[in-house]
């Protein structure tokens, strides 16, 4: 049975936690003892006598404030599929947590309050979905019970959102009019909105095709560890361990070691402690090569005819996640998979306005802003564009003193 990883996004009080609670409740994924606890703790009860949002508002601070601060993960399954749901924060100041949840998701559910329509957070989350190349977008127009289940309201919101989607080149968008509080169109189709002829939200989630997008074309293997046991039995053993980021590797393949740019031949591949004919993404593997080359953690093996970009300077989109402003000349560590390299902000090209989607010049970047920058690294970085290969096209910026993650990087 396959697994669908999805996340919910939207502004505070749009009903994200209630929606997830409803999915768990109506799909019979809540244990009896959990229900008893819910009934005792519920303040905002629905017709079932429970507050479904409590299921995901796990942190005490969240319960006290009635909001979701951190990303909460919940797991459930139906006879057709398993699900991992990330419940992301709704407040603007927690957008960085939302990016964390989105980075591992196949599908994003963006909730819109039917009374308010498309708002700034809707645009912000849609931009992040676009930047992270999330393939499937679900627009759940919630609280339809508060607008008399109006088809006109739903259609107007649908029209407004499609304009944003067009600007962001978002595709595979599905719209659902729902009431998370009452369960309309969540697990079962609602009788209160006969004008909506599509499947329920859960039926769609069970059927949506998820392509894991394993790239088997571009060979990218990054060395994480050099294995040299130097025992009597394995005196000459030297293998390079890591994860196949993309592509297929076989014995006899001619490869290049980057950034050294030295060509050699694979003489053996192993996975799971056994020698095999080939290894492919995303398997962990140990690769043996013919020549004795100085190779260390973070170096790449690629096929000689599939060379990625190797450069000290490159452009990237950055979602800024720190309270300290990003300015030109700031220095950070760039964590690019297992490679940690010093980098400097050489230029800030523009800031993306989340309301108008316009690009405006700026000299500094504040928390939760999305900007295009030029980064310069202390040594050559082996990479692809994020659009071509997420595995080698993404990175994070790390503060040199606090070791905090301060920026999500998508290489252009």
């Amino acid at each position: 049975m396959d697994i669908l990883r999805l996340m919910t996004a939207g502004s505070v009080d749009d009903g994200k936690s209630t929606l997830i609670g409803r999915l768990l409740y109506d799909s019979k994924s809540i244990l009896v003892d959990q229900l008893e606890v819910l009934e005792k703790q519920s303040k905002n009860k629905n017709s079932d006598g429970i507050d479904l949002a409590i299921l995901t508002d796990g942190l005490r601070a969240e319960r006290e404030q009635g909001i979701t601060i951190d990303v909460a993960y919940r797991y459930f399954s139906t006879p057709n599929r398993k699900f991992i749901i990330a419940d992301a924060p709704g407040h603007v100041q927690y957008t960085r947590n939302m990016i964390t949840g989105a980075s591992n998701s196949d599908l994003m559910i963006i909730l819109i309050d039917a009374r308010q329509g498309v708002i700034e957070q809707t645009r912000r989350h849609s931009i992040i979905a676009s930047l992270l190349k999330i393939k499937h977008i679900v627009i759940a127009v919630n609280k339809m019970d508060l607008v008399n289940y109006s088809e006109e309201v739903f259609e107007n919101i649908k029209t407004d959102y499609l304009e944003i989607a067009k600007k962001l080149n978002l595709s595979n968008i599905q719209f659902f009019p729902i009431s998370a509080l009452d369960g309309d169109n969540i697990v079962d189709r609602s009788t209160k909105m006969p004008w909506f002829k599509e499947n329920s939200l859960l039926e769609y989630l069970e059927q949506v095709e998820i392509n894991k997008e394993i790239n088997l074309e571009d060979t990218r293997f990054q060395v994480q560890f050099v294995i040299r046991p130097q025992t009597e039995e394995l005196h000459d053993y030297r293998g390079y361990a890591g994860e196949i980021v993309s592509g297929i590797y076989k014995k006899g393949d001619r490869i290049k070691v980057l950034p050294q740019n030295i060509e050699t031949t694979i003489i053996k591949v192993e996975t799971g402690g056994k020698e095999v004919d080939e290894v492919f993404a995303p398997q962990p593997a140990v690769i043996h090569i013919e020549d004795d080359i100085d190779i260390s953690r973070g170096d790449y093996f690629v096929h000689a005819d599939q060379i990625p970009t190797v450069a000290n300077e490159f452009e990237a989109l950055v979602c800024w996640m720190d309270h300290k402003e990003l300015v030109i000349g700031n220095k950070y560590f760039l964590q690019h998979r297992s490679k940690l390299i010093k980098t400097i902000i050489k230029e800030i090209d523009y800031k993306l306005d989340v309301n108008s989607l316009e690009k405006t010049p700026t000299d500094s970047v504040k928390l939760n802003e999305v900007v295009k920058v030029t980064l310069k690294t202390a040594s050559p970085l082996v990479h692809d564009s994020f659009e071509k290969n997420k595995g080698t096209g993404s990175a994070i910026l790390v503060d040199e003193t606090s070791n905090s993650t301060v920026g999500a990087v998508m290489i252009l």
Side-chain angles (χ1 to χ4, degrees):
M1 188 183 295
D2 61 2
I3 299 175
L4 175 66
R5 298 174 185 271
L6 66 150
M7 75 166 298
T8 56
S11 187
V12 65
D13 289 336
D14 277 352
K16 299 180 297 300
S17 299
T18 303
L19 171 61
I20 294 175
R22 175 59 66 182
L23 282 169
L24 297 174
Y25 182 71
D26 285 1
S27 62
K28 309 289 188 291
S29 301
I30 305 174
L31 300 175
V32 174
D33 57 337
Q34 287 179 306
L35 279 174
E36 291 176 354
V37 173
L38 283 178
E39 289 170 358
K40 290 178 182 176
Q41 295 181 342
S42 293
K43 294 179 181 176
N44 302 314
K45 296 182 180 181
N46 61 14
S47 57
D48 300 309
I50 58 174
D51 182 356
L52 294 169
I54 294 177
L55 279 169
T56 51
D57 288 347
L59 298 177
R60 176 172 294 181
E62 291 178 351
R63 291 191 189 180
E64 289 173 350
Q65 298 177 49
I67 60 172
T68 303
I69 292 175
D70 206 347
V71 179
Y73 291 92
R74 289 295 180 272
Y75 311 87
F76 77 101
S77 63
T78 67
N80 299 316
R81 179 170 273 175
K82 293 180 180 178
F83 302 90
I84 299 176
I85 307 178
D87 180 24
H91 279 71
V92 174
Q93 64 264 41
Y94 300 123
T95 301
R96 60 189 184 278
N97 306 64
M98 182 260 178
I99 293 171
T100 305
S103 62
N104 294 315
S105 298
D106 305 306
L107 180 148
M108 180 186 289
I109 300 175
I110 300 177
L111 281 94
I112 296 177
D113 188 325
R115 299 168 300 175
Q116 300 183 28
V118 174
I119 60 174
E120 179 180 329
Q121 275 294 71
T122 311
R123 297 187 183 91
R124 188 187 303 276
H125 293 159
S126 299
I127 289 171
I128 292 171
S130 170
L131 294 176
L132 295 176
K133 308 297 180 190
I134 294 178
K135 291 293 184 184
H136 301 281
I137 305 295
V138 168
I139 302 299
V141 182
N142 193 22
K143 304 186 182 182
M144 289 296 294
D145 51 311
L146 300 181
V147 295
N148 296 319
Y149 306 101
S150 167
E151 182 180 8
E152 183 181 2
V153 170
F154 175 72
E155 290 297 332
N156 287 339
I157 292 174
K158 187 175 174 181
T159 301
D160 290 344
Y161 188 81
L162 285 174
E163 288 184 18
I164 297 173
K166 186 177 180 181
K167 291 179 181 177
L168 295 173
N169 293 321
L170 290 172
S171 57
N172 299 326
I173 305 169
Q174 295 291 324
F175 294 85
F176 292 88
I178 65 169
S179 169
L181 188 66
D182 296 330
D184 292 297
N185 286 332
I186 306 293
V187 173
D188 301 310
R189 286 177 234 190
S190 173
T191 57
K192 300 165 188 168
M193 290 175 272
W195 45 266
F196 185 71
K197 306 296 184 185
E198 306 294 328
N199 289 339
S200 71
L201 175 61
L202 183 61
E203 287 172 336
Y204 171 74
L205 296 179
E206 285 181 321
Q207 297 169 11
V208 63
E209 186 176 343
I210 48 171
N211 180 359
K212 289 301 180 183
E213 293 186 345
I214 297 174
N215 181 341
L216 298 177
E217 300 297 324
D218 304 299
T219 50
R220 304 287 185 262
F221 172 83
Q222 190 184 38
V223 176
Q224 295 178 0
F225 188 69
V226 181
I227 302 176
R228 289 204 63 195
Q230 294 183 319
T231 61
E232 286 298 324
E233 299 80 15
L234 299 168
H235 184 74
D236 296 324
Y237 189 100
R238 180 193 291 266
Y240 300 95
E243 179 189 3
I244 309 295
V245 181
S246 58
I248 303 170
Y249 290 82
K250 302 174 185 175
K251 179 181 176 181
D253 284 350
R254 289 293 290 171
I255 59 168
K256 275 197 172 184
V257 180
L258 299 175
Q260 296 89 327
N261 199 29
I262 300 174
E263 196 161 324
T264 185
T265 301
I266 293 176
I267 57 173
K268 185 167 69 174
V269 292
E270 298 174 282
T271 187
K274 297 178 182 177
E275 183 174 351
V276 293
D277 294 332
E278 65 179 28
V279 285
F280 50 86
Q283 287 182 308
V286 178
I287 293 180
H288 301 253
I289 58 174
E290 185 176 53
D291 301 295
D292 186 13
I293 302 171
D294 181 15
I295 295 170
S296 56
R297 179 179 170 84
D299 292 344
Y300 276 88
F301 295 170
V302 304
H303 281 180
D305 58 348
Q306 297 173 345
I307 304 298
T309 303
V310 183
N312 287 73
E313 197 171 303
F314 54 90
E315 296 178 335
L317 288 175
V318 173
C319 294
W320 191 240
M321 304 160 75
D322 195 24
H323 289 282
K324 288 192 294 186
E325 290 188 6
L326 171 71
V327 296
I328 295 172
N330 276 9
K331 296 177 181 177
Y332 302 97
F333 285 123
L334 183 77
Q335 182 77 59
H336 185 251
R337 300 190 69 85
S338 58
K339 185 84 171 181
L340 190 64
I341 184 171
K342 284 190 174 182
T343 188
I344 187 170
I345 306 299
K346 186 180 178 186
E347 292 179 12
I348 300 176
D349 298 300
Y350 60 78
K351 177 174 66 177
L352 198 60
D353 189 303
V354 297
N355 288 313
S356 63
L357 303 180
E358 291 180 352
K359 302 167 184 175
T360 54
T362 183
D363 294 326
S364 62
V365 184
K366 297 178 182 176
L367 176 69
N368 293 323
E369 290 184 333
V370 178
V371 291
K372 181 190 172 193
V373 300
T374 300
L375 296 170
K376 187 171 184 177
T377 53
S379 58
L381 184 76
V382 180
H383 64 273
D384 294 292
S385 68
F386 184 79
E387 187 162 10
K388 180 180 181 181
N389 194 327
K390 286 186 178 182
T392 53
S394 58
I396 58 172
L397 289 173
V398 179
D399 187 283
E400 289 183 313
T401 53
S402 67
N403 282 326
S404 301
T405 300
V406 293
V409 178
M410 286 141 283
I411 301 172
L412 297 174

